Amino acid sequence: MAHVRLIRSTILASLLLLSLGQTGCSVFSTIGGWISDSYENTVAYFNAYYNAKKIFDDAEAEVLASRSSLKTKAQTPNQPATTGSTAKQKFTTVIDKCSNILSFYPNSSLVNDALFLIGKSFFYQEEYVKAERKFTELMAKKPSASLAFQGQLWLVKALEKESKLDEATSVGQDLATTAAAAGYNNIAGEAHVKLGDIAVTQKNTDNAIAEYMKAVEVSNDGAMQANAELRAGDLYFSIPDYEKAAAAYLGVQKHSPDDYTLYQSQVQAAIALRRAGKTDESAAILRKMQKNYMFLDNRGTIQYELAKTLERAGNFDEAVDWYRLTDTTSSKTEPGAKAAFELGRLYQYTMGNYKDARIAYSHATVGGSPELTADATKKVAAFDNYYRLQMQYLKLDSILAIYDVDSMWVVRDSNKVISSAPATAEHALDAEPRSVRSRRALASGAKDSSIVGAKDTLMIAQKADSTLASRDSAKVLAHKDSLGAKGIPAGSGAQRIIPKPKKDTLIASIGNLSYLLGESFYTDLDVPDSAFYWINQALKLGIDSAKTPRAWYVLAEVARGDSAKKYGNEKDLYKKILDKYPTSTFAEQARIALGFKPTPSRVDPAVQLYAVADSLTYAGKYKEAVDTLGRIITEFSQSALVPKSRFLMAWLYENHLSLPDSAASEYRTLAEKFGTTRFGQAALKRVPPTEAPPAPPLDSTKKSLPDSLKSARGSEVKKQAADSSKAALGPRPKVAADSLEDRRTPQVPDSLRSKNPLVPLRQPQKTAADSLEDRRTVPVPDSLRPKHPLVPMRQPQVEVDTGNGVGRKIK
């Protein structure tokens, strides 16, 4: 529209000049028209800039509010705020309006201001390259001093975002010097802050602290000074130099900061003083903050830090009170979850109160960060597992304590108790602590006397809710169990309520539970001395051989972590692992702990050959694959790949090379030599069935006798068997044919024997006697069967012609 108006004004001016020459009108009317048009143009671009500036301020306020919100949520300091979509749209509008001013009013006085707004809008839109160009263009136009210093400051910011740190440092140092000399102290202070930020990025802590402190000295802006001193305190804290950090944090309150910056600096000062060992000063700051209504929204964090300070000072009872107060008043929030978790740690590690520790950890599972919630959940599960193992241990320990007291193993019938003697049982239980008695009895069977003795701190520290107290209650439980009638069927007569177990089995179960308790203390509960005690007991009692190397390794690790060396020298324990369990997985770790070089891993040379055979199989070159597998079997007979190679070879013979005999031979060899492997088991299923072996001889001595004596030995054995049969059945007449029954193998005449050993000999012709030997059962007529089942039946008389005119009768 402005362009159209300009064209119209030009046309009107030409017409006025033409009419002036013709009509002689006064020139004052033409001058007034020009003034009117200039006024309209000035109002137009001024309104455009004014609207753009207003939109920019709104968008910038939105970005700064978002950044402030991130700070109050305890985000990382100086974390860049993400520009929202609404703010981005506003910045785009600013860029369009200011671009129109540059296009249509290039000579106006607001061009430099419009150029500066465009550069800052690009910066907030995170288009830092475009922002750098606009700021550089602004500096080339040589604007006023104020605008030049501001443009230079934003140029430093853009260069920092582009990671051009050296160039940004050079521009920033020049700006800090010239701005301070010209009296623009606040811009000089901001320049020092940016130089400090760049030094932090370059990990130059000393230069960063120096720049922040210069900003405090040069600037007159309280908020900027407070921010700079807070950042200096953070750097001192990270070194760490807690006393200087506390001084910097306490100096923030001198610069009239906002409420959140004041709260943050005071809490950080208290934490720094606590870490410096000045717990009284730290507690004084926190108590004062706790009473200040300005920090009402952050009271949970203040109470949590006060409880930690009191715990550090050794005032555990008051610390517990403040932790509980925070857990109650800030329940299901971050400070409340942190307080509950720290309360659980105080109960567990310092006061030995496992019962309350579990409750505190359960409160910490809600409201905290994901990491804190996961840790608290693991702690709760660990305590649940501990109490389960503890109850099992106490039951077995109680049984062992009364194992040799016969009166404790109660027997009752359906009407009355046969033997109980409760008074004697209580006396036996109270005469000496059960743990002392049982441990003395168990220690008497110790397998290795080199294990260092240790006390379980859990037994000492738990007081009212300790394991010792649980053992006292276990007395009554064991006594009640021994007197109860559970498991006795009605009317079954005398029954033993608890069957007395085997002592070896009982001790082995106690040893296994001791090992599990030690693992729980070492892995889950993180109590090294209790872990050492219980695993030590497990080794004395005896545990599974698969667990023993790890048990020794845990003892060595606990001993290594103890600076007082009350568990002995860890090197002796590592050496024991190498000596007794050199092939275990913990032997290599023990070697490394002792300072030896790691054992180089041995590569099976057959691996490469098997890969070649596998490739040949997939390529269809089965003969070549079999040859390669044969090389593995021949050249690398000790390789673990031999069973696998034999199986693949047999499979190729069977399925691709049509050699069933070779496949059967390979399967049979594999089953015989490697039957325990999975390939041997698979081969066993594919081995073809073989003929049944001949029946073994009646007497093993026949194997070692000469052929000439075998028949005589057999005749003697048969004769003895026949004599025993005669004695049982009564005498019977012996006929000539009996000799045929005694002969198992017919004599072969020399004329029938083959001269070639590979040609089977000719068998003699069967006779009638041979057919009788083949008949196992002779039919018996009904007339000969006994009427009474206990009377032996009469055998039929059968007369057989032997071929030589002599007959014999067979019963």
mmCIF file of all heavy atoms in Angstrom, residues 340-342 344-346 348-349 354-355 357-365 371-387 520-527:
data_model
loop_
_atom_site.group_PDB
_atom_site.id
_atom_site.type_symbol
_atom_site.label_atom_id
_atom_site.label_comp_id
_atom_site.label_asym_id
_atom_site.label_seq_id
_atom_site.Cartn_x
_atom_site.Cartn_y
_atom_site.Cartn_z
ATOM 1 N N ALA A 340 12.985 -40.690 52.996
ATOM 2 C CA ALA A 340 12.680 -42.069 53.388
ATOM 3 C C ALA A 340 13.835 -43.002 53.050
ATOM 4 O O ALA A 340 14.182 -43.896 53.842
ATOM 5 C CB ALA A 340 11.396 -42.530 52.696
ATOM 6 N N PHE A 341 14.453 -42.799 51.906
ATOM 7 C CA PHE A 341 15.568 -43.661 51.510
ATOM 8 C C PHE A 341 16.763 -43.460 52.439
ATOM 9 O O PHE A 341 17.401 -44.436 52.870
ATOM 10 C CB PHE A 341 15.969 -43.371 50.064
ATOM 11 C CG PHE A 341 16.924 -44.375 49.489
ATOM 12 C CD1 PHE A 341 16.455 -45.545 48.929
ATOM 13 C CD2 PHE A 341 18.293 -44.152 49.515
ATOM 14 C CE1 PHE A 341 17.334 -46.480 48.410
ATOM 15 C CE2 PHE A 341 19.174 -45.081 49.002
ATOM 16 C CZ PHE A 341 18.693 -46.250 48.438
ATOM 17 N N GLU A 342 17.083 -42.211 52.753
ATOM 18 C CA GLU A 342 18.199 -41.945 53.665
ATOM 19 C C GLU A 342 17.895 -42.447 55.071
ATOM 20 O O GLU A 342 18.797 -42.902 55.787
ATOM 21 C CB GLU A 342 18.511 -40.452 53.688
ATOM 22 C CG GLU A 342 19.103 -39.921 52.404
ATOM 23 C CD GLU A 342 20.416 -40.591 52.036
ATOM 24 O OE1 GLU A 342 21.196 -40.894 52.967
ATOM 25 O OE2 GLU A 342 20.660 -40.832 50.847
ATOM 26 N N GLY A 344 16.124 -45.118 55.683
ATOM 27 C CA GLY A 344 16.376 -46.547 55.581
ATOM 28 C C GLY A 344 17.862 -46.869 55.672
ATOM 29 O O GLY A 344 18.264 -47.824 56.343
ATOM 30 N N ARG A 345 18.698 -46.081 55.012
ATOM 31 C CA ARG A 345 20.138 -46.293 55.085
ATOM 32 C C ARG A 345 20.650 -46.079 56.506
ATOM 33 O O ARG A 345 21.529 -46.816 56.985
ATOM 34 C CB ARG A 345 20.863 -45.340 54.128
ATOM 35 C CG ARG A 345 20.653 -45.658 52.664
ATOM 36 C CD ARG A 345 21.391 -44.664 51.781
ATOM 37 N NE ARG A 345 22.815 -44.675 52.071
ATOM 38 C CZ ARG A 345 23.696 -45.512 51.525
ATOM 39 N NH1 ARG A 345 23.282 -46.426 50.667
ATOM 40 N NH2 ARG A 345 24.967 -45.458 51.836
ATOM 41 N N LEU A 346 20.137 -45.069 57.197
ATOM 42 C CA LEU A 346 20.548 -44.812 58.572
ATOM 43 C C LEU A 346 20.176 -45.988 59.479
ATOM 44 O O LEU A 346 20.981 -46.440 60.302
ATOM 45 C CB LEU A 346 19.902 -43.522 59.071
ATOM 46 C CG LEU A 346 20.202 -43.115 60.522
ATOM 47 C CD1 LEU A 346 21.699 -42.914 60.726
ATOM 48 C CD2 LEU A 346 19.449 -41.839 60.882
ATOM 49 N N GLN A 348 19.671 -49.080 58.514
ATOM 50 C CA GLN A 348 20.361 -50.304 58.097
ATOM 51 C C GLN A 348 21.831 -50.310 58.500
ATOM 52 O O GLN A 348 22.302 -51.263 59.138
ATOM 53 C CB GLN A 348 20.243 -50.462 56.574
ATOM 54 C CG GLN A 348 20.994 -51.680 56.041
ATOM 55 C CD GLN A 348 20.950 -51.768 54.534
ATOM 56 O OE1 GLN A 348 20.271 -50.976 53.871
ATOM 57 N NE2 GLN A 348 21.681 -52.714 53.971
ATOM 58 N N TYR A 349 22.565 -49.270 58.120
ATOM 59 C CA TYR A 349 24.015 -49.306 58.251
ATOM 60 C C TYR A 349 24.527 -48.762 59.584
ATOM 61 O O TYR A 349 25.584 -49.178 60.046
ATOM 62 C CB TYR A 349 24.662 -48.500 57.123
ATOM 63 C CG TYR A 349 24.417 -49.099 55.766
ATOM 64 C CD1 TYR A 349 23.546 -48.510 54.864
ATOM 65 C CD2 TYR A 349 25.041 -50.276 55.382
ATOM 66 C CE1 TYR A 349 23.308 -49.069 53.623
ATOM 67 C CE2 TYR A 349 24.820 -50.844 54.138
ATOM 68 C CZ TYR A 349 23.952 -50.223 53.265
ATOM 69 O OH TYR A 349 23.727 -50.798 52.037
ATOM 70 N N TYR A 354 16.845 -53.405 61.104
ATOM 71 C CA TYR A 354 16.428 -53.862 59.784
ATOM 72 C C TYR A 354 14.927 -53.778 59.581
ATOM 73 O O TYR A 354 14.454 -53.589 58.460
ATOM 74 C CB TYR A 354 16.901 -55.295 59.561
ATOM 75 C CG TYR A 354 18.351 -55.399 59.164
ATOM 76 C CD1 TYR A 354 19.246 -54.382 59.479
ATOM 77 C CD2 TYR A 354 18.827 -56.494 58.470
ATOM 78 C CE1 TYR A 354 20.567 -54.460 59.114
ATOM 79 C CE2 TYR A 354 20.153 -56.585 58.093
ATOM 80 C CZ TYR A 354 21.015 -55.560 58.423
ATOM 81 O OH TYR A 354 22.326 -55.639 58.054
ATOM 82 N N LYS A 355 14.177 -53.923 60.628
ATOM 83 C CA LYS A 355 12.726 -53.875 60.511
ATOM 84 C C LYS A 355 12.267 -52.494 60.057
ATOM 85 O O LYS A 355 11.514 -52.362 59.079
ATOM 86 C CB LYS A 355 12.088 -54.228 61.852
ATOM 87 C CG LYS A 355 10.577 -54.175 61.852
ATOM 88 C CD LYS A 355 10.031 -54.529 63.229
ATOM 89 C CE LYS A 355 8.500 -54.429 63.255
ATOM 90 N NZ LYS A 355 7.965 -54.747 64.598
ATOM 91 N N ALA A 357 14.169 -50.229 58.771
ATOM 92 C CA ALA A 357 14.823 -49.919 57.501
ATOM 93 C C ALA A 357 13.973 -50.389 56.329
ATOM 94 O O ALA A 357 13.819 -49.680 55.327
ATOM 95 C CB ALA A 357 16.199 -50.573 57.452
ATOM 96 N N ARG A 358 13.402 -51.583 56.449
ATOM 97 C CA ARG A 358 12.555 -52.083 55.362
ATOM 98 C C ARG A 358 11.329 -51.209 55.164
ATOM 99 O O ARG A 358 10.915 -50.932 54.043
ATOM 100 C CB ARG A 358 12.136 -53.526 55.663
ATOM 101 C CG ARG A 358 11.446 -54.192 54.467
ATOM 102 C CD ARG A 358 10.296 -55.050 54.934
ATOM 103 N NE ARG A 358 9.581 -55.584 53.800
ATOM 104 C CZ ARG A 358 8.550 -54.976 53.212
ATOM 105 N NH1 ARG A 358 8.111 -53.801 53.659
ATOM 106 N NH2 ARG A 358 7.949 -55.511 52.167
ATOM 107 N N ILE A 359 10.743 -50.744 56.277
ATOM 108 C CA ILE A 359 9.566 -49.875 56.180
ATOM 109 C C ILE A 359 9.931 -48.560 55.504
ATOM 110 O O ILE A 359 9.195 -48.061 54.643
ATOM 111 C CB ILE A 359 8.979 -49.629 57.585
ATOM 112 C CG1 ILE A 359 8.462 -50.947 58.184
ATOM 113 C CG2 ILE A 359 7.859 -48.604 57.533
ATOM 114 C CD1 ILE A 359 8.013 -50.825 59.624
ATOM 115 N N ALA A 360 11.065 -47.994 55.884
ATOM 116 C CA ALA A 360 11.486 -46.728 55.286
ATOM 117 C C ALA A 360 11.751 -46.883 53.795
ATOM 118 O O ALA A 360 11.345 -46.042 52.983
ATOM 119 C CB ALA A 360 12.740 -46.204 56.001
ATOM 120 N N TYR A 361 12.413 -47.962 53.411
ATOM 121 C CA TYR A 361 12.677 -48.189 51.990
ATOM 122 C C TYR A 361 11.367 -48.359 51.211
ATOM 123 O O TYR A 361 11.272 -47.925 50.052
ATOM 124 C CB TYR A 361 13.544 -49.427 51.807
ATOM 125 C CG TYR A 361 15.006 -49.212 52.125
ATOM 126 C CD1 TYR A 361 15.701 -50.096 52.943
ATOM 127 C CD2 TYR A 361 15.703 -48.131 51.597
ATOM 128 C CE1 TYR A 361 17.039 -49.913 53.228
ATOM 129 C CE2 TYR A 361 17.038 -47.940 51.883
ATOM 130 C CZ TYR A 361 17.705 -48.826 52.697
ATOM 131 O OH TYR A 361 19.032 -48.633 52.980
ATOM 132 N N SER A 362 10.386 -48.981 51.828
ATOM 133 C CA SER A 362 9.105 -49.145 51.126
ATOM 134 C C SER A 362 8.437 -47.800 50.875
ATOM 135 O O SER A 362 7.757 -47.611 49.855
ATOM 136 C CB SER A 362 8.186 -50.065 51.935
ATOM 137 O OG SER A 362 7.837 -49.469 53.175
ATOM 138 N N HIS A 363 8.615 -46.820 51.784
ATOM 139 C CA HIS A 363 8.072 -45.480 51.552
ATOM 140 C C HIS A 363 8.791 -44.782 50.408
ATOM 141 O O HIS A 363 8.198 -43.944 49.727
ATOM 142 C CB HIS A 363 8.201 -44.637 52.827
ATOM 143 C CG HIS A 363 7.292 -45.097 53.928
ATOM 144 N ND1 HIS A 363 7.226 -44.457 55.148
ATOM 145 C CD2 HIS A 363 6.408 -46.134 54.001
ATOM 146 C CE1 HIS A 363 6.346 -45.067 55.921
ATOM 147 N NE2 HIS A 363 5.836 -46.097 55.240
ATOM 148 N N ALA A 364 10.062 -45.110 50.218
ATOM 149 C CA ALA A 364 10.856 -44.449 49.172
ATOM 150 C C ALA A 364 10.534 -44.959 47.782
ATOM 151 O O ALA A 364 11.047 -44.416 46.799
ATOM 152 C CB ALA A 364 12.340 -44.635 49.456
ATOM 153 N N THR A 365 9.702 -45.981 47.664
ATOM 154 C CA THR A 365 9.364 -46.518 46.344
ATOM 155 C C THR A 365 8.320 -45.689 45.614
ATOM 156 O O THR A 365 8.014 -45.987 44.461
ATOM 157 C CB THR A 365 8.844 -47.959 46.482
ATOM 158 O OG1 THR A 365 7.701 -47.971 47.354
ATOM 159 C CG2 THR A 365 9.914 -48.876 47.055
ATOM 160 N N GLU A 371 15.466 -43.655 39.260
ATOM 161 C CA GLU A 371 16.629 -44.337 39.837
ATOM 162 C C GLU A 371 16.425 -44.622 41.319
ATOM 163 O O GLU A 371 16.724 -45.730 41.805
ATOM 164 C CB GLU A 371 17.891 -43.494 39.631
ATOM 165 C CG GLU A 371 18.294 -43.309 38.171
ATOM 166 C CD GLU A 371 17.484 -42.219 37.478
ATOM 167 O OE1 GLU A 371 16.706 -41.535 38.186
ATOM 168 O OE2 GLU A 371 17.620 -42.081 36.248
ATOM 169 N N LEU A 372 15.910 -43.628 42.050
ATOM 170 C CA LEU A 372 15.677 -43.809 43.480
ATOM 171 C C LEU A 372 14.611 -44.872 43.724
ATOM 172 O O LEU A 372 14.749 -45.704 44.639
ATOM 173 C CB LEU A 372 15.259 -42.482 44.104
ATOM 174 C CG LEU A 372 15.039 -42.477 45.626
ATOM 175 C CD1 LEU A 372 16.342 -42.754 46.347
ATOM 176 C CD2 LEU A 372 14.467 -41.139 46.072
ATOM 177 N N THR A 373 13.567 -44.853 42.938
ATOM 178 C CA THR A 373 12.505 -45.852 43.089
ATOM 179 C C THR A 373 13.035 -47.261 42.849
ATOM 180 O O THR A 373 12.698 -48.196 43.580
ATOM 181 C CB THR A 373 11.353 -45.542 42.116
ATOM 182 O OG1 THR A 373 10.837 -44.232 42.395
ATOM 183 C CG2 THR A 373 10.240 -46.555 42.260
ATOM 184 N N ALA A 374 13.871 -47.412 41.819
ATOM 185 C CA ALA A 374 14.433 -48.737 41.528
ATOM 186 C C ALA A 374 15.326 -49.214 42.670
ATOM 187 O O ALA A 374 15.263 -50.384 43.079
ATOM 188 C CB ALA A 374 15.222 -48.684 40.218
ATOM 189 N N ASP A 375 16.156 -48.322 43.209
ATOM 190 C CA ASP A 375 17.036 -48.714 44.323
ATOM 191 C C ASP A 375 16.230 -49.105 45.559
ATOM 192 O O ASP A 375 16.544 -50.090 46.243
ATOM 193 C CB ASP A 375 17.990 -47.566 44.660
ATOM 194 C CG ASP A 375 19.009 -47.326 43.563
ATOM 195 O OD1 ASP A 375 19.206 -48.235 42.736
ATOM 196 O OD2 ASP A 375 19.602 -46.227 43.526
ATOM 197 N N ALA A 376 15.192 -48.331 45.862
ATOM 198 C CA ALA A 376 14.364 -48.638 47.035
ATOM 199 C C ALA A 376 13.638 -49.965 46.861
ATOM 200 O O ALA A 376 13.524 -50.759 47.809
ATOM 201 C CB ALA A 376 13.368 -47.511 47.270
ATOM 202 N N THR A 377 13.153 -50.229 45.658
ATOM 203 C CA THR A 377 12.466 -51.496 45.401
ATOM 204 C C THR A 377 13.413 -52.678 45.587
ATOM 205 O O THR A 377 13.039 -53.723 46.146
ATOM 206 C CB THR A 377 11.890 -51.501 43.977
ATOM 207 O OG1 THR A 377 11.009 -50.371 43.819
ATOM 208 C CG2 THR A 377 11.116 -52.772 43.706
ATOM 209 N N LYS A 378 14.652 -52.540 45.137
ATOM 210 C CA LYS A 378 15.637 -53.607 45.327
ATOM 211 C C LYS A 378 15.924 -53.834 46.807
ATOM 212 O O LYS A 378 16.084 -54.974 47.252
ATOM 213 C CB LYS A 378 16.930 -53.257 44.591
ATOM 214 C CG LYS A 378 16.824 -53.307 43.081
ATOM 215 C CD LYS A 378 18.145 -52.951 42.427
ATOM 216 C CE LYS A 378 18.030 -52.974 40.909
ATOM 217 N NZ LYS A 378 19.319 -52.566 40.271
ATOM 218 N N LYS A 379 15.981 -52.747 47.561
ATOM 219 C CA LYS A 379 16.241 -52.883 48.994
ATOM 220 C C LYS A 379 15.100 -53.637 49.683
ATOM 221 O O LYS A 379 15.337 -54.498 50.534
ATOM 222 C CB LYS A 379 16.410 -51.498 49.616
ATOM 223 C CG LYS A 379 17.709 -50.791 49.253
ATOM 224 C CD LYS A 379 18.892 -51.445 49.941
ATOM 225 C CE LYS A 379 20.157 -50.655 49.722
ATOM 226 N NZ LYS A 379 21.329 -51.284 50.381
ATOM 227 N N VAL A 380 13.881 -53.310 49.336
ATOM 228 C CA VAL A 380 12.734 -53.981 49.948
ATOM 229 C C VAL A 380 12.762 -55.473 49.626
ATOM 230 O O VAL A 380 12.556 -56.333 50.501
ATOM 231 C CB VAL A 380 11.416 -53.339 49.476
ATOM 232 C CG1 VAL A 380 10.226 -54.145 49.945
ATOM 233 C CG2 VAL A 380 11.302 -51.905 49.986
ATOM 234 N N ALA A 381 13.033 -55.799 48.372
ATOM 235 C CA ALA A 381 13.103 -57.211 47.980
ATOM 236 C C ALA A 381 14.241 -57.925 48.705
ATOM 237 O O ALA A 381 14.104 -59.092 49.101
ATOM 238 C CB ALA A 381 13.287 -57.321 46.468
ATOM 239 N N ALA A 382 15.359 -57.215 48.898
ATOM 240 C CA ALA A 382 16.493 -57.822 49.601
ATOM 241 C C ALA A 382 16.146 -58.129 51.050
ATOM 242 O O ALA A 382 16.502 -59.191 51.576
ATOM 243 C CB ALA A 382 17.703 -56.887 49.533
ATOM 244 N N PHE A 383 15.439 -57.225 51.706
ATOM 245 C CA PHE A 383 15.061 -57.470 53.097
ATOM 246 C C PHE A 383 14.032 -58.592 53.201
ATOM 247 O O PHE A 383 14.078 -59.406 54.136
ATOM 248 C CB PHE A 383 14.524 -56.197 53.743
ATOM 249 C CG PHE A 383 15.605 -55.302 54.282
ATOM 250 C CD1 PHE A 383 15.874 -54.087 53.693
ATOM 251 C CD2 PHE A 383 16.364 -55.684 55.370
ATOM 252 C CE1 PHE A 383 16.878 -53.270 54.173
ATOM 253 C CE2 PHE A 383 17.364 -54.875 55.869
ATOM 254 C CZ PHE A 383 17.625 -53.665 55.268
ATOM 255 N N ASP A 384 13.117 -58.652 52.260
ATOM 256 C CA ASP A 384 12.147 -59.753 52.267
ATOM 257 C C ASP A 384 12.872 -61.094 52.135
ATOM 258 O O ASP A 384 12.556 -62.066 52.832
ATOM 259 C CB ASP A 384 11.139 -59.576 51.136
ATOM 260 C CG ASP A 384 10.193 -58.409 51.386
ATOM 261 O OD1 ASP A 384 10.082 -57.978 52.548
ATOM 262 O OD2 ASP A 384 9.580 -57.917 50.416
ATOM 263 N N ASN A 385 13.840 -61.145 51.244
ATOM 264 C CA ASN A 385 14.613 -62.374 51.070
ATOM 265 C C ASN A 385 15.420 -62.697 52.325
ATOM 266 O O ASN A 385 15.524 -63.864 52.739
ATOM 267 C CB ASN A 385 15.551 -62.218 49.873
ATOM 268 C CG ASN A 385 16.366 -63.471 49.609
ATOM 269 O OD1 ASN A 385 15.825 -64.553 49.446
ATOM 270 N ND2 ASN A 385 17.672 -63.314 49.560
ATOM 271 N N TYR A 386 15.981 -61.661 52.949
ATOM 272 C CA TYR A 386 16.760 -61.873 54.171
ATOM 273 C C TYR A 386 15.900 -62.457 55.286
ATOM 274 O O TYR A 386 16.292 -63.427 55.946
ATOM 275 C CB TYR A 386 17.384 -60.559 54.627
ATOM 276 C CG TYR A 386 17.818 -60.585 56.075
ATOM 277 C CD1 TYR A 386 18.919 -61.332 56.477
ATOM 278 C CD2 TYR A 386 17.102 -59.884 57.036
ATOM 279 C CE1 TYR A 386 19.305 -61.375 57.803
ATOM 280 C CE2 TYR A 386 17.484 -59.919 58.362
ATOM 281 C CZ TYR A 386 18.590 -60.662 58.743
ATOM 282 O OH TYR A 386 18.961 -60.698 60.051
ATOM 283 N N TYR A 387 14.722 -61.889 55.498
ATOM 284 C CA TYR A 387 13.860 -62.392 56.573
ATOM 285 C C TYR A 387 13.389 -63.816 56.291
ATOM 286 O O TYR A 387 13.240 -64.628 57.210
ATOM 287 C CB TYR A 387 12.665 -61.463 56.770
ATOM 288 C CG TYR A 387 13.007 -60.233 57.579
ATOM 289 C CD1 TYR A 387 12.898 -58.970 57.025
ATOM 290 C CD2 TYR A 387 13.440 -60.343 58.895
ATOM 291 C CE1 TYR A 387 13.219 -57.838 57.763
ATOM 292 C CE2 TYR A 387 13.763 -59.221 59.641
ATOM 293 C CZ TYR A 387 13.652 -57.966 59.069
ATOM 294 O OH TYR A 387 13.976 -56.860 59.792
ATOM 295 N N SER A 520 23.248 -62.658 50.253
ATOM 296 C CA SER A 520 22.293 -61.562 50.412
ATOM 297 C C SER A 520 22.968 -60.339 51.009
ATOM 298 O O SER A 520 22.760 -59.209 50.551
ATOM 299 C CB SER A 520 21.126 -62.009 51.293
ATOM 300 O OG SER A 520 20.202 -60.962 51.484
ATOM 301 N N PHE A 521 23.800 -60.535 52.018
ATOM 302 C CA PHE A 521 24.507 -59.413 52.624
ATOM 303 C C PHE A 521 25.526 -58.811 51.661
ATOM 304 O O PHE A 521 25.739 -57.599 51.662
ATOM 305 C CB PHE A 521 25.205 -59.862 53.910
ATOM 306 C CG PHE A 521 24.300 -59.910 55.105
ATOM 307 C CD1 PHE A 521 23.980 -61.104 55.706
ATOM 308 C CD2 PHE A 521 23.760 -58.745 55.629
ATOM 309 C CE1 PHE A 521 23.141 -61.158 56.803
ATOM 310 C CE2 PHE A 521 22.909 -58.781 56.720
ATOM 311 C CZ PHE A 521 22.605 -59.992 57.310
ATOM 312 N N TYR A 522 26.149 -59.630 50.846
ATOM 313 C CA TYR A 522 27.198 -59.130 49.951
ATOM 314 C C TYR A 522 26.619 -58.434 48.721
ATOM 315 O O TYR A 522 27.082 -57.366 48.332
ATOM 316 C CB TYR A 522 28.079 -60.297 49.518
ATOM 317 C CG TYR A 522 29.208 -59.898 48.596
ATOM 318 C CD1 TYR A 522 30.314 -59.194 49.067
ATOM 319 C CD2 TYR A 522 29.170 -60.224 47.237
ATOM 320 C CE1 TYR A 522 31.339 -58.833 48.215
ATOM 321 C CE2 TYR A 522 30.198 -59.866 46.383
ATOM 322 C CZ TYR A 522 31.285 -59.168 46.876
ATOM 323 O OH TYR A 522 32.293 -58.797 46.024
ATOM 324 N N THR A 523 25.602 -59.034 48.134
ATOM 325 C CA THR A 523 25.081 -58.531 46.861
ATOM 326 C C THR A 523 23.967 -57.512 47.041
ATOM 327 O O THR A 523 23.972 -56.460 46.398
ATOM 328 C CB THR A 523 24.560 -59.699 46.005
ATOM 329 O OG1 THR A 523 25.584 -60.679 45.878
ATOM 330 C CG2 THR A 523 24.138 -59.212 44.630
ATOM 331 N N ASP A 524 23.006 -57.793 47.918
ATOM 332 C CA ASP A 524 21.806 -56.967 48.015
ATOM 333 C C ASP A 524 21.875 -55.934 49.139
ATOM 334 O O ASP A 524 21.584 -54.763 48.920
ATOM 335 C CB ASP A 524 20.582 -57.863 48.212
ATOM 336 C CG ASP A 524 20.412 -58.859 47.077
ATOM 337 O OD1 ASP A 524 20.740 -58.504 45.939
ATOM 338 O OD2 ASP A 524 19.955 -59.983 47.334
ATOM 339 N N LEU A 525 22.255 -56.373 50.321
ATOM 340 C CA LEU A 525 22.228 -55.479 51.478
ATOM 341 C C LEU A 525 23.525 -54.700 51.651
ATOM 342 O O LEU A 525 23.556 -53.716 52.391
ATOM 343 C CB LEU A 525 21.939 -56.293 52.745
ATOM 344 C CG LEU A 525 20.587 -57.003 52.759
ATOM 345 C CD1 LEU A 525 20.428 -57.821 54.029
ATOM 346 C CD2 LEU A 525 19.449 -56.006 52.634
ATOM 347 N N ASP A 526 24.601 -55.131 51.018
ATOM 348 C CA ASP A 526 25.873 -54.406 51.039
ATOM 349 C C ASP A 526 26.383 -54.213 52.470
ATOM 350 O O ASP A 526 26.673 -53.102 52.902
ATOM 351 C CB ASP A 526 25.723 -53.059 50.335
ATOM 352 C CG ASP A 526 27.081 -52.389 50.076
ATOM 353 O OD1 ASP A 526 28.089 -53.108 50.069
ATOM 354 O OD2 ASP A 526 27.109 -51.155 49.909
ATOM 355 N N VAL A 527 26.487 -55.313 53.214
ATOM 356 C CA VAL A 527 27.065 -55.299 54.563
ATOM 357 C C VAL A 527 28.249 -56.264 54.531
ATOM 358 O O VAL A 527 28.076 -57.472 54.723
ATOM 359 C CB VAL A 527 26.034 -55.726 55.625
ATOM 360 C CG1 VAL A 527 26.627 -55.605 57.021
ATOM 361 C CG2 VAL A 527 24.769 -54.875 55.508
#
